[in-house]
Structure formats: structure tokens, C-alpha cells
Amino acid sequence: MMRQWQQVYWVCLVFLVCLNLLGMYDAWRSTRTKGINKPVQNIQTLSLQEETMRNEKSKSMNDVISYLTKAIVSHNSSGNLKRGTVVDSWSLYDDYNRYSSVKQLTDKNHIYEHNSPPKALGHKHTPRPPLPQVQKNETAIKIRLKNSPVKNHNTVFLVKPSHGVFLTSLVANLSTHSHQDQTYLRDRVAVYLERARHVSDVCLRHQSTLIKPTILRTLVWDRKHNPNLIWCEISKVASSTWMVNFLRLAHYRENDPSLANLNSSERYQAIYGDDKMADVSTRKEVYQLYPFPKTPSQQRKLLNSSLRFIIVRHPFTRLLSAYVDKMTVDTPKPVTFNFRQLQRDIISRYRREEDPDSPYPTFSEFIQYVLESTENFTTIKHWKKSLCWKPYWVSCHVCSMDYQLVMKLETMQEDERFLITLAGLTELKQQVHEWCNNKSSQNSTNKSTYFRQLSTKQMYQLYDLYRLDFELFDYNLDQYLPLAHDVQLSK
């Protein structure tokens, strides 16, 4: 009898233990489902998150968060919250300590200002216009491709990062240069070696995605100088300047009889004026004067024995240049792309009723279009759909070509002098700096005026979009973040 009671006792004890364990498991599952460890929820389900947080955070903090959440919903009562908007409750609380009003807070998070449909703030059910698409002139594209001197070049290139080894070897042998030039080159070369080493280091950190065999057609092959030069054209970074430079090095149209009666200034404008360089056919002349070597083996051989160089600038100023060039004129070039229609579509999607009326997109509207249209771009294939705002690592396959000389627009005068001296580009020694400086002064813009239209969040989004360019060429946001309109508001 005693033995039977002991068996019953142990059975009951095991049953209670199992029941307790099951209850603990259910509680753990419930906690996981409600997301205690991940306080990021869609704003529509934010109340569930707040409920679970009360066990860990003080009631006063939760009261503030609840207030902010309700205020944001009220502030956006027109129903203009972008689908999928993510709100982090604890970052809302932190932001509350820095912003003096819900209006500033919602501006900072772009829930009100940048996710709202244009011209629909007072009309809840007005459909938002579609995302603008670049409309191509198919006829112009066919003509351009038919006459393109590089369309049939499909050689696959891969030159792995070398930390500037070729440039080091060039400067080690300057016997053909004057003593003055030798001194200058050796004093200055450390700047370019540091840039090359920095690019190589970043490429190697991302080698699984960036160092891959590639086809690249935007190369100018100069075999007339020592060392041979290979330049990769990047739009909105002195590309017209160096198209002109290569035409001058080839003495393009110098003996043209139709120019005989013009003085030197008029002749220069007739050959190299802005309208000429915007013409695709004129730029095509450069690729015909400096063609690809005929065979893939010759191309690879020359590639490895030439000074490869590119020109970059701060990614933000390049975007501003693209905006001014393509979004603020009636007939942007090239006509291959219908930029004027793109302007109208950007205004239709992003212009709000209270915004100033203008026939052209504002800089903020243009940036919002760039961000939204490239939101899911992660590969070179994705970025091929873009136009004048492709990242450098895409445009010139930076990590697959091992560019030895990185020139920057911010130090252009010294960088050009180094290249001209090193390669003996005598045709450029007298006039190139004067021409570039004159052009830059004519096209100078007050960048502060434009970047004050952007918010801190937009700037960080742009940084994320062009993060690799920032890393590769050692740029930062220091001079731009203080210009953001929400920073100015909080001062």
C-alpha cells in the first residue's frame, strides 16, 4: 500500500514539473512574439510594443513615448504615412530630448515632410503619382550605338589592387625629366601613393563583392606619351575638361581651314566650347582618336603597362552638379534622355501645395527622387539603370582596375600639374589651368543654399547610398550636416 502511494506521489510531482516547464515555454514564446528584444514596430502596431516595454522601462518614459506616438499619428491625420514606415520607440524618446516640438520631431523622421504625397496633404484619397522613370529617345540611342567606337569591345578586365606599385616604379625612374621636375614629382608623389593605398585597402575589405572581372568601355587609351595613359570618364567630374585636354593633345582641328579667319579665342570656342562638348558626336571623337587596342591580349598588355587614372570629387557636390546641369534648364543634354519630362514627373510626385511654384524640381525633390529610385540598388547591374549619378565604384569599376593615380577636383590644380609633368603633356602646360579655373568660376554655385533644403536624415540616406565612394576616396559629411534644415531649426 505504501509503495502505491509513493508511485502516485512521484507521478504527480513529475506532472507538476512538466506543467510548470510548459508554462515557462509558453511565456517565452509570447515574449518572443511581442518582440521585447526588438523595439522596432510598424506605427500601426506600436501599442503592442509599448505594452511589453512597461515591464522593463519606467512608466514616465513610456508615457512620453505614447504621447509622441499619438502626436505623430495626429500630425499625420491626413493618412499620408508611407507604407512600411518604421518607428523605433526608444529613438523617439531620445529625439524628444533634442527637439522642442512634435512638428520638428516628425520633420526629423521624415514622416510628415518627405513621405507625404505631393499636392495631397489635404486630400486623403488622392492617389500618388508613380515613381518617375527616365524616358529614352530610342531613335537617338540607335544612332549613337551604331556610330559608337567602343560598342564592340567586350574584353573582360581584372587588375587587382596593388597599393600604387606602378606609380612608385615610375617616380623611381625620372632620368628624362629636368631636375626641377624630378624634385616636384618626388615631393608630391606621397599624396597619390597614400590615395592609391587607401583605395586598395578598402577594395580588399570588400573583395568578395567588388573585385571581379569586368567589361569597361569608357576608357581613353593614350599610347602617344610616356608613360601611356588610360583614363576612365566619369560624368560630372571634370569629364568635359579632360575630353578637351585629350583633343588638344591630339591637335584636333588645328589645321582646319574653316577656322583660319578666327582669332585664338574664337577658334578655341569653335572647337572646345561648352555646346561642342555637350554634343555626343564631339565626345565620340576622343574615343576614335584614342581607341581600344585591337585585340584583347593587346588591351590587357597595355592595361598593365599604363598609368591608369580617374578623377573624383565629393559625392554630394557631384550630385549638385548633376542637378544644376539636368534639372534647372529647359533642354538638358544629351537629348538621348528626356530629362525635361523627368523634371515634370519629379514635380508631379514630390511637389506639395505649400511649396513655392517653380518650373523645375527643387534640389530636395531631386534628391528624394534619387533616393527612392535607387532604394534597392546594391549591384553594378542595378546601377546600370541610373544616369549621371552612378557611384564611382560602378562607373569605373574602381576595385577591378587598380587606378594608380586618383585625382580630386578639390586639389585639381596640383593633381593636374603632377600628371602633366610626369607624362610630359607639354600641350597642356600653358593653358589648361586657366581654362579650368575660368569655367569653374562661371559655373560656381553656393552649395549651402541647396543643401539647406535637405534634412539630416536625407543626408545620411545619401551617405548610405554612396557609402563605398565615401570610403574609397576618404570623404565625409562634416561640412554638410550642419547645413541640414532641421539642424538650423533646432539652433
Side-chain angles (χ1 to χ4, degrees):
M1 188 69 177
M2 179 64 72
R3 182 175 297 175
Q4 290 178 348
W5 279 109
Q6 287 177 345
Q7 289 176 348
V8 171
Y9 171 81
W10 285 112
V11 169
C12 292
L13 183 61
V14 169
F15 175 77
L16 290 174
V17 170
C18 291
L19 190 63
N20 189 36
L21 290 174
L22 183 61
M24 293 174 63
Y25 175 75
D26 287 339
W28 177 79
R29 285 292 301 274
S30 175
T31 300
R32 293 283 293 180
T33 302
K34 291 182 178 180
I36 285 180
N37 296 324
K38 296 181 179 180
V40 180
Q41 298 282 347
N42 188 286
I43 196 166
Q44 285 85 347
T45 60
L46 193 58
S47 59
L48 293 176
Q49 178 185 334
E50 302 298 353
E51 194 173 22
T52 60
M53 286 180 177
R54 289 193 183 97
N55 297 325
E56 298 184 7
K57 302 294 181 179
S58 67
K59 187 176 184 303
S60 60
M61 185 180 293
N62 277 283
D63 289 343
V64 171
I65 294 171
S66 178
Y67 164 72
L68 292 176
T69 303
K70 292 176 182 177
I72 289 175
V73 173
S74 174
H75 197 66
N76 292 276
S77 58
S78 58
N80 293 322
L81 275 176
K82 185 177 178 181
R83 180 178 295 178
T85 299
V86 175
V87 178
D88 184 333
S89 293
W90 299 115
S91 68
L92 280 179
Y93 182 83
D94 293 337
D95 291 340
Y96 182 73
N97 294 323
R98 296 197 303 271
Y99 291 84
S100 58
S101 70
V102 172
K103 173 67 168 59
Q104 290 183 28
L105 179 61
T106 51
D107 283 351
K108 186 261 181 187
N109 281 280
H110 288 250
I111 295 172
Y112 173 78
E113 181 171 356
H114 296 293
N115 287 334
S116 303
K119 301 182 179 181
L121 293 178
H123 308 281
K124 182 175 181 179
H125 301 294
T126 302
R128 192 179 191 190
L131 181 67
Q133 300 292 329
V134 177
Q135 298 182 8
K136 300 179 181 179
N137 186 327
E138 297 297 338
T139 302
I141 289 176
K142 288 179 180 178
I143 295 173
R144 181 176 179 181
L145 290 176
K146 181 180 179 180
N147 300 320
S148 172
V150 300
K151 68 174 182 176
N152 295 322
H153 293 290
N154 297 310
T155 305
V156 176
F157 299 124
L158 177 57
V159 186
K160 294 184 178 180
S162 67
H163 295 82
V165 169
F166 186 73
L167 183 58
T168 302
S169 66
L170 287 178
V171 177
N173 183 18
L174 298 173
S175 57
T176 59
H177 293 73
S178 68
H179 177 72
Q180 182 179 359
D181 286 347
Q182 289 183 33
T183 302
Y184 169 74
L185 291 172
R186 287 176 178 141
D187 288 345
R188 183 70 181 168
V189 72
V191 173
Y192 308 107
L193 287 175
E194 176 57 32
R195 291 178 184 175
R197 289 165 183 159
H198 181 82
V199 169
S200 292
D201 288 340
V202 174
C203 287
L204 290 171
R205 288 204 300 269
H206 301 278
Q207 57 182 319
S208 60
T209 55
L210 296 183
I211 304 179
K212 294 182 177 180
T214 184
I215 296 173
L216 186 59
R217 297 189 179 96
T218 54
L219 296 176
V220 173
W221 302 72
D222 179 2
R223 287 167 278 180
K224 302 173 184 177
H225 295 89
N226 184 23
N228 298 151
L229 302 175
I230 296 178
W231 170 58
C232 182
E233 177 192 5
I234 301 177
S235 61
K236 311 317 303 172
V237 192
S239 56
S240 295
T241 300
W242 272 87
M243 284 290 176
V244 168
N245 288 346
F246 278 111
L247 289 175
R248 292 177 60 200
L249 289 170
H251 303 278
Y252 178 65
R253 294 185 65 187
E254 283 189 2
N255 298 318
D256 188 336
S258 66
L259 306 176
N261 296 326
L262 302 179
N263 60 40
S264 59
S265 177
E266 292 171 338
R267 188 182 301 113
Y268 189 93
Q269 286 300 317
I271 301 174
Y272 308 121
D274 288 349
D275 58 330
K276 299 294 182 182
M277 297 318 300
D279 189 347
V280 173
S281 62
T282 303
R283 301 174 82 89
K284 184 183 68 176
E285 293 286 345
V286 174
Y287 290 100
Q288 291 175 333
L289 290 168
Y290 300 91
F292 272 67
K294 292 183 179 180
T295 67
S297 61
Q298 290 175 339
Q299 292 170 15
R300 294 190 182 97
K301 181 178 179 180
L302 186 60
L303 189 69
N304 287 295
S305 62
S306 301
L307 179 63
R308 300 174 298 278
F309 74 98
I310 56 172
I311 307 170
V312 299
R313 69 195 298 185
H314 194 289
F316 278 18
T317 60
R318 180 170 175 245
L319 273 173
L320 176 56
S321 178
Y323 165 75
V324 172
D325 193 42
K326 307 301 182 188
M327 295 291 135
T328 62
V329 293
D330 287 331
T331 55
K333 294 183 179 180
V335 295
T336 311
F337 305 102
N338 192 344
F339 285 109
R340 185 56 182 144
Q341 185 58 47
L342 181 60
Q343 294 175 14
R344 298 188 187 101
D345 292 343
I346 289 174
I347 291 173
S348 176
R349 183 170 175 85
Y350 301 106
R351 183 68 52 83
R352 301 172 306 171
E353 285 186 344
E354 69 269 28
D355 290 336
D357 190 22
S358 168
Y360 306 116
T362 64
F363 186 54
S364 178
E365 291 166 346
F366 168 69
I367 292 301
Q368 202 58 32
Y369 160 71
V370 171
L371 290 171
E372 195 171 357
S373 63
T374 61
E375 185 176 9
N376 298 315
F377 286 10
T378 57
T379 66
I380 290 176
K381 184 177 181 180
H382 292 151
W383 274 104
K384 284 184 178 179
K385 305 173 187 176
S386 184
L387 298 173
C388 302
W389 37 90
K390 288 187 185 75
Y392 302 132
W393 66 270
V394 173
S395 299
C396 284
H397 300 255
V398 172
C399 292
S400 299
M401 295 296 289
D402 188 33
Y403 295 98
Q404 301 287 307
L405 180 61
V406 176
M407 300 166 63
K408 294 187 175 184
L409 216 61
E410 294 84 359
T411 56
M412 196 61 170
Q413 186 167 352
E414 283 299 320
D415 296 351
E416 283 186 332
R417 181 185 172 190
F418 181 87
L419 177 58
I420 290 169
T421 304
L422 180 63
L425 310 180
T426 55
E427 296 89 344
L428 305 182
K429 284 188 175 180
Q430 298 300 322
Q431 301 178 31
V432 65
H433 299 312
E434 179 182 353
W435 185 86
C436 290
N437 289 337
N438 286 342
K439 185 174 181 181
S440 64
S441 65
Q442 293 167 4
N443 294 337
S444 62
T445 54
N446 185 354
K447 66 181 180 182
S448 299
T449 302
Y450 293 98
F451 284 97
R452 285 195 179 101
Q453 298 178 30
L454 306 185
S455 68
T456 303
K457 183 175 181 180
Q458 282 180 304
M459 291 189 183
Y460 277 121
Q461 287 175 321
L462 283 177
Y463 176 82
D464 286 339
L465 187 62
Y466 294 95
R467 180 182 295 272
L468 280 174
D469 284 350
F470 277 90
E471 291 183 17
L472 285 164
F473 304 109
D474 201 22
Y475 287 111
N476 58 57
L477 294 179
D478 292 352
Q479 60 179 314
Y480 292 94
L481 287 175
L483 300 176
H485 67 70
D486 48 349
V487 173
Q488 299 290 323
L489 237 159
S490 63
K491 288 183 178 180

